Amino acid sequence: MMRNVHLVPEDEDDIYSGYNDYNPQFDEDIDNDEGFQQAVKTSHGRRPPPTASVKPVLGAGPRPLGTAAQRMKTGMVSSMGRPTTGAQEGVARPMTAVRAAGYSSAPRGMQFDPLNQAKGPAPPLEAKAEDSPEEKVKQLEKKVMELVEESCMANSRAEFSLALEKAKEAGRQERQLVRQREQLASGEQINLDLTYSVLFNLANQYAANEMYNEALNTYTVIVKNKMFSNAGRLRVNMGNIYFKQRNYAKAIKFYRMALDQVPTAHKEMRARIMQNIALVFIRMGQYSDAVTTLEHVMNEKPDFKSGFNLILCYFALGDREKMKKTFQRLLNCALNIDDEDKYLPHPDDKHYNMILEVIRNDTLRQMEREKKTYAEKCIMAAAKVIAPAIESSFAAGYDWCVEQVKTSPSFLEMANDLEINKAIMYLKQKDFNQAVETLKSFEKKDSKVASTAATNLSFLYFLENEIGQADKYAEVAMTADRYNPSALVNKGNCVFMQGEHERAREFYQEALRNDSTCTEALYNLGLTYKKIGRLEDSLDCFLKLHAILRNSAQVIYQIADLYDLLEDTAQATEWFMQLIGVVPTDAFVLARLGEIYDNEGDKTQAFQYHYESFRYFPSNIEIIEWLGAYYIDSQFCEKAIHYFERAAVIQPSQVKWQLMVASCHRRSGNYQQALETYKEIHSKFPENVECLRFLVRLCNDLGLKEAQDYATKLKKAEKARELREQRASSGSRRGSGRGIREHSAGSGLKHKGSLNLFMLHNIIIGSFS
């Protein structure tokens, strides 16, 4: 081992000499040199540690062993025989050679911190300058997208003007964005998707605001730009605009251009475009061309809408056989919805029942219901159209449709609905006997159908005022289906007509518990509360109903009338004003409002509404009487004559109107005309005491000799009246005042809302649900 040791003579040059040589000039400002201090504190630039073994140097002789004196002279020697540079002439200097990780030449006593955690967290990242051109471009692009989104949201809320303003602002900002990018010479980074979105949204908003020319121009800009992929499909939108403008030739042209650019693999898209083409042909009356297009759609991708339109085209062409075949094809169209058994509960599977509670009425389930409802609506409408045309009578046509529906597994339950619809057709033809017979045929069928038929029978008998039969079939309907709200309402109506108002209230409340949207039950319940004097409860019912039926004149009238009964004049006036906004030509409502103003002492407003009522219904005696009295009070007797003469024409047997005409002549100073009028009245009513009194007075004032004759007649008439009064039994006498009858102004609309007319006028429609 010693043979590898080479002892260097003192006169021989040391191969490791010079490492301890140090230039004092390097000490200048070394403490403030950040790069040097960083290199000292970290492991930057260090070499890996040496290995334990030492390989001999080729060509070198044996080296002399280092002595203690040499160590003292040269300092500490490393394990490889290399002298250290840590100490030179008493100066503490960090090692620059290789050292182990975690060790440093710093004085002892410092904390061991190999990861430099004592320095604290790293400094934050340097923020980008907000005023840099690139950052400005990004912010502007973000703002454009926000404007597009706000425009779309405004459109969804039907705020079309606001949506258009946002779309225009987005277009301006997008053009500014393009100019800024061009100035930065970054044209290759232009966002084509953003440009397309802005233009497409702007065109849609123009169309929503019915600015069709601007929308067409914007769509043209998009379509003609070759950089936008698949932009040619927007010609469908252009065709829709031409369709709205009734420019059918151009609409077909653009639909066909769009169809040419849709690949054949996209069958649904092509089918929808062809449906549009067929609809345009139907509007143009070219049913043969529409048939050709719809036949192609039914062969490629059949659906209920195309099938129904095809049936209408064949109906217009009068082709019976094709109508039958197309109806059969309509029944064979696929619904593409899950089986109904999927939504049935499993008594032994609690986990599945928990899932069922979630999916029973989720969005997907609602969509399935809508699809099925639409399909049933198309089939029902098609049956109504073709039934009278495919056979000699509509009854035979309905029978054929029912048989075809029974053979369809998807729409088997619709056969009963068609039968009920057949009964309604009999009603429209005023053949009540056939309608009743048809509905009675359902008595022995399943509960749901029997309940529907019995409900309609109860309604028919109620209209014919056969309360007993109506009550009987209402019971049958309730027995078949206790949760049928229409049956409960019919039963309530029957017991109401029999005077059992509390029982009627219970039936109406039960109907509302079963179906909270049953407006007939809520209306009838309000009237029942009003009948038994519970006005506050009645008002609550009608206010709830008003939230559902916002523009129902009957509901608004009932609310106004209840406020009037509660002596809340301000609310009553406000609701009557709303009612006039809904039915501005209803004479009874106008008269009722005039009556309220008259009671408040506002004669001007009262006259305005009474006069408007007279314009729309000039035969209302109460209004005529009020207007005549108003002109007399206003000292315009000449104008009052016109109204009293009209009243005399309407009621010629009433002497008071003719007396009022004569009185107006007398008050206006036209005594001669008044005398002639009184003479005519005396000739028609010779025993009228008042007429004779005025004749005596006028003749005396005018100095006529006839005064004595009329005085004699007056005495005889007074004696005859006294005899009649003596013969009359001593009882309360009815006054014949000429005042306006209380609440008579609104009697017409009350009658509309009374139990005679509000009774379930839409029960037959509701039975199809």
Side-chain angles (χ1 to χ4, degrees):
M1 219 179 140
M2 292 300 295
R3 64 184 179 182
N4 293 328
V5 178
H6 175 64
L7 298 176
V8 182
E10 292 183 1
D11 57 348
E12 186 175 352
D13 294 334
D14 188 358
I15 62 174
Y16 293 104
S17 64
Y19 285 100
N20 291 332
D21 296 339
Y22 178 70
N23 190 350
Q25 295 179 357
F26 293 149
D27 285 338
E28 296 178 0
D29 203 20
I30 196 169
D31 294 332
N32 298 327
D33 190 345
E34 294 181 1
F36 178 77
Q37 293 296 333
Q38 184 71 14
V40 170
K41 294 179 181 179
T42 64
S43 60
H44 177 71
R46 294 180 184 170
R47 294 176 295 174
T51 58
S53 60
V54 180
K55 294 184 179 180
V57 181
L58 295 178
R63 291 177 291 181
L65 292 173
T67 61
Q70 289 175 336
R71 291 193 195 99
M72 293 295 294
K73 180 179 180 181
T74 62
M76 188 68 68
V77 183
S78 68
S79 60
M80 293 185 66
R82 176 185 175 187
T84 63
T85 61
Q88 182 171 351
E89 299 180 357
V91 179
R93 178 170 176 258
M95 294 178 64
T96 58
V98 179
R99 61 183 176 178
Y103 292 89
S104 67
S105 60
R108 295 183 180 180
M110 297 183 64
Q111 185 179 0
F112 177 71
D113 188 17
L115 300 178
N116 292 322
Q117 296 179 356
K119 296 177 62 177
L125 297 175
E126 184 179 355
K128 292 185 178 181
E130 295 183 359
D131 57 348
S132 63
E134 293 81 2
E135 190 65 23
K136 287 183 178 180
V137 168
K138 289 184 179 179
Q139 292 296 329
L140 189 56
E141 188 177 56
K142 182 179 179 181
K143 184 177 181 181
V144 171
M145 278 307 304
E146 290 176 353
L147 286 170
V148 172
E149 292 176 1
E150 290 175 3
S151 175
C152 295
M153 294 303 296
N155 183 281
S156 67
R157 299 191 301 267
E159 299 176 1
F160 300 123
S161 299
L162 178 61
L164 181 58
E165 291 178 5
K166 295 288 184 181
K168 289 181 178 180
E169 180 63 23
R172 288 191 290 268
Q173 296 290 340
E174 196 273 335
R175 289 191 293 271
Q176 182 180 351
L177 173 64
V178 172
R179 286 195 296 268
Q180 288 190 9
R181 281 186 165 164
E182 289 176 352
Q183 292 175 2
L184 294 174
S186 57
E188 68 279 4
Q189 298 180 2
I190 293 178
N191 193 342
L192 290 177
D193 292 337
L194 182 62
T195 305
Y196 180 87
S197 300
V198 170
L199 291 174
F200 180 61
N201 179 62
L202 180 60
N204 283 338
Q205 303 311 330
Y206 276 134
N209 285 272
E210 298 182 357
M211 302 172 65
Y212 296 130
N213 292 331
E214 291 83 354
L216 289 172
N217 293 336
T218 309
Y219 279 127
T220 304
V221 171
I222 301 174
V223 169
K224 290 187 176 181
N225 194 332
K226 302 299 182 182
M227 300 178 69
F228 297 140
S229 59
N230 299 324
R233 299 183 184 181
L234 294 182
R235 289 190 171 88
V236 175
N237 295 21
M238 300 175 73
N240 292 340
I241 293 176
Y242 283 121
F243 181 82
K244 291 178 181 178
Q245 293 179 333
R246 299 191 178 186
N247 192 345
Y248 299 130
K250 280 195 173 182
I252 291 177
K253 174 185 175 182
F254 277 88
Y255 285 145
R256 285 176 171 169
M257 291 171 67
L259 185 65
D260 293 339
Q261 296 190 3
V262 176
T264 56
H266 298 173
K267 291 185 178 181
E268 186 171 357
M269 174 73 75
R270 294 179 63 87
R272 288 177 180 245
I273 297 175
M274 294 187 74
Q275 284 178 0
N276 289 4
I277 295 174
L279 289 176
V280 178
F281 279 132
I282 293 174
R283 285 295 183 91
M284 297 172 67
Q286 300 178 11
Y287 300 113
S288 300
D289 295 332
V291 164
T292 304
T293 306
L294 290 172
E295 284 285 359
H296 180 77
V297 173
M298 291 296 289
N299 292 330
E300 293 292 328
K301 193 172 181 61
D303 65 289
F304 292 96
K305 183 177 180 180
S306 300
F308 178 71
N309 289 335
L310 186 57
I311 288 176
L312 293 180
C313 292
Y314 282 130
F315 178 81
L317 295 173
D319 194 333
R320 292 187 176 184
E321 293 301 322
K322 290 293 181 66
M323 278 189 278
K324 289 183 177 181
K325 291 181 180 179
T326 308
F327 186 77
Q328 293 172 342
R329 293 171 68 183
L330 187 66
L331 293 173
N332 293 327
C333 289
L335 280 172
N336 297 323
I337 61 176
D338 292 337
D339 191 4
E340 293 291 334
D341 295 339
K342 171 184 175 181
Y343 300 99
L344 296 178
H346 292 188
D348 300 331
D349 192 346
K350 294 183 178 179
H351 180 68
Y352 183 81
N353 291 335
M354 292 175 63
I355 298 175
L356 185 62
E357 290 297 327
V358 178
I359 67 173
R360 181 171 290 169
N361 198 33
D362 61 351
T363 307
L364 179 61
R365 178 59 173 161
Q366 292 175 5
M367 186 185 71
E368 290 177 350
R369 288 199 189 108
E370 290 175 0
K371 290 180 65 175
K372 187 171 183 180
T373 302
Y374 181 76
E376 292 176 351
K377 181 180 178 181
C378 289
I379 294 172
M380 187 69 68
K384 291 179 182 179
V385 170
I386 68 173
I390 58 177
E391 300 293 343
S392 57
S393 64
F394 86 91
Y398 265 107
D399 292 339
W400 183 88
C401 292
V402 170
E403 292 299 324
Q404 296 302 317
V405 170
K406 287 181 179 179
T407 60
S408 175
S410 301
F411 304 101
L412 181 61
E413 65 276 6
M414 287 190 62
N416 295 323
D417 293 340
L418 283 173
E419 288 282 359
I420 293 177
N421 192 68
K422 179 181 176 182
I424 295 175
M425 291 297 296
Y426 280 125
L427 287 177
K428 290 182 178 180
Q429 296 181 358
K430 298 183 179 181
D431 192 348
F432 293 99
N433 295 329
Q434 285 292 336
V436 171
E437 291 298 325
T438 304
L439 292 173
K440 284 183 177 180
S441 64
F442 289 94
E443 292 183 6
K444 297 182 180 180
K445 294 190 177 182
D446 64 303
S447 60
K448 183 178 179 181
V449 178
S451 177
T452 303
T455 300
N456 292 337
L457 282 170
S458 175
F459 169 68
L460 291 176
Y461 282 121
F462 189 88
L463 291 181
E464 294 180 354
N465 203 24
E466 297 182 15
I467 306 301
Q469 288 292 331
D471 191 21
K472 170 188 173 183
Y473 282 101
E475 286 286 350
V476 172
M478 290 169 56
T479 304
D481 184 6
R482 182 69 186 187
Y483 297 100
N484 184 355
S486 301
L488 291 167
V489 172
N490 276 355
K491 179 65 177 179
N493 293 341
C494 293
V495 298
F496 187 98
M497 296 300 293
Q498 294 168 2
E500 302 178 25
H501 301 133
E502 287 296 332
R503 285 190 63 199
R505 178 180 61 83
E506 293 174 1
F507 283 116
Y508 297 144
Q509 288 177 338
E510 185 178 355
L512 286 172
R513 286 194 295 270
N514 294 337
D515 183 7
S516 59
T517 62
C518 184
T519 56
E520 295 86 1
L522 189 57
Y523 189 94
N524 293 2
L525 181 61
L527 288 180
T528 305
Y529 279 133
K530 186 178 179 181
K531 183 72 175 179
I532 62 181
R534 296 171 59 177
L535 301 182
E536 293 289 348
D537 294 332
S538 177
L539 183 61
D540 290 339
C541 292
F542 286 115
L543 287 174
K544 291 177 183 178
L545 192 58
H546 178 65
I548 302 172
L549 307 174
R550 302 296 298 181
N551 295 321
S552 173
Q554 295 183 6
V555 174
I556 297 174
Y557 173 79
Q558 293 296 340
I559 295 173
D561 186 54
L562 284 167
Y563 275 122
D564 192 20
L565 294 175
L566 291 169
E567 298 182 355
D568 190 345
T569 307
Q571 285 290 337
T573 304
E574 180 181 347
W575 282 96
F576 274 121
M577 291 296 292
Q578 291 187 28
L579 182 57
I580 290 175
V582 177
V583 282
T585 60
D586 194 303
F588 296 103
V589 177
L590 292 166
R592 184 69 179 275
L593 190 56
E595 180 184 347
I596 292 176
Y597 280 117
D598 188 23
N599 294 334
E600 291 293 313
D602 191 346
K603 295 293 183 180
T604 304
Q605 290 288 346
F607 169 74
Q608 177 183 348
Y609 286 106
H610 277 99
Y611 181 73
E612 289 295 318
S613 175
F614 174 76
R615 285 181 57 234
Y616 292 114
F617 186 28
S619 300
N620 191 331
I621 292 296
E622 290 81 5
I623 303 301
I624 293 173
E625 182 179 11
W626 191 94
L627 288 172
Y630 172 80
Y631 279 119
I632 291 175
D633 293 340
S634 302
Q635 304 299 323
F636 293 106
C637 299
E638 298 86 351
K639 293 185 177 181
I641 294 174
H642 167 71
Y643 295 100
F644 291 127
E645 285 179 346
R646 180 178 290 274
V649 172
I650 296 172
Q651 294 181 345
S653 60
Q654 293 290 333
V655 67
K656 67 176 182 178
W657 306 122
Q658 300 180 40
L659 289 173
M660 291 301 297
V661 172
S663 177
C664 289
H665 285 302
R666 180 173 54 83
R667 291 189 181 190
S668 62
N670 192 353
Y671 298 111
Q672 190 63 38
Q673 185 63 40
L675 180 61
E676 295 296 330
T677 306
Y678 279 124
K679 287 181 178 180
E680 292 179 3
I681 296 171
H682 178 65
S683 63
K684 295 177 181 178
F685 305 95
E687 296 181 358
N688 188 273
V689 175
E690 292 182 8
C691 180
L692 289 170
R693 284 177 181 172
F694 284 113
L695 280 171
V696 171
R697 185 183 301 177
L698 279 175
C699 290
N700 288 330
D701 293 342
L702 295 175
L704 299 177
K705 298 178 181 180
E706 300 166 344
Q708 189 62 34
D709 296 337
Y710 289 124
T712 305
K713 293 180 180 180
L714 175 60
K715 291 180 180 179
K716 292 181 180 179
E718 289 176 346
K719 288 182 180 180
R721 188 172 67 177
E722 289 176 0
L723 290 175
R724 286 195 299 269
E725 290 175 354
Q726 291 175 1
R727 293 170 186 169
S729 61
S730 58
S732 59
R733 300 177 182 177
R734 294 183 180 180
S736 58
R738 297 178 310 207
I740 299 176
R741 189 172 50 193
E742 184 179 4
H743 301 307
S744 62
S747 60
L749 192 56
K750 281 185 183 178
H751 182 67
K752 292 181 181 178
S754 66
L755 281 167
N756 291 335
L757 289 181
F758 79 84
M759 288 292 182
L760 304 177
H761 55 277
N762 57 350
I763 271 296
I764 294 181
I765 299 175
S767 65
F768 290 123
S769 59

